[in-house]
Every structure is written in structure tokens, then in C-alpha cells.
Amino acid sequence: MHRLVTPLMAVTANCDVLEAEASDQAGLASWVANIRPAADEMATRIADMLMHMGGD
């Protein structure tokens, strides 16, 4: 679990920083708009996988 969650948390944390900065720099908004949905999808897939692993 740790090997999956730690890199995802790094991506998510960096998205949070970019989102905070994006209001000041229009160029960052497009990058965040590209990264955030992918990070959210990975988080959902990892959570689902971990739930199924724990449920067996």
C-alpha cells in the first residue's frame, strides 16, 4: 500500500501547490487542469483496489 499511496500523495500535494499559485499565473491553470483529474482517478482506483484487497 505504501508504495502506491506515497507517490500519489506527492502528485496530489504538488497539484495543491500549483492550484494555489495558478490564481496568480494563468499558465499554471492549464497544467493543473491536466494533472488534477489524473491524480483524482488514480486515487479512486487505488482506494478501490485497497478496499477489494481488504475485503477478501
Side-chain angles (χ1 to χ4, degrees):
M1 177 174 103
H2 184 276
R3 289 183 180 182
L4 294 173
V5 175
T6 301
L8 177 60
M9 302 249 336
V11 170
T12 303
N14 282 308
C15 278
D16 293 342
V17 171
L18 286 173
E19 283 176 333
E21 297 293 323
S23 62
D24 295 335
Q25 299 177 23
L28 290 178
S30 64
W31 288 101
V32 174
N34 187 20
I35 296 168
R36 176 60 74 185
D40 291 345
E41 182 179 344
M42 285 191 312
T44 299
R45 289 177 184 237
I46 289 172
D48 288 347
M49 182 183 65
L50 293 174
M51 182 181 69
H52 285 96
M53 287 174 58
D56 288 333

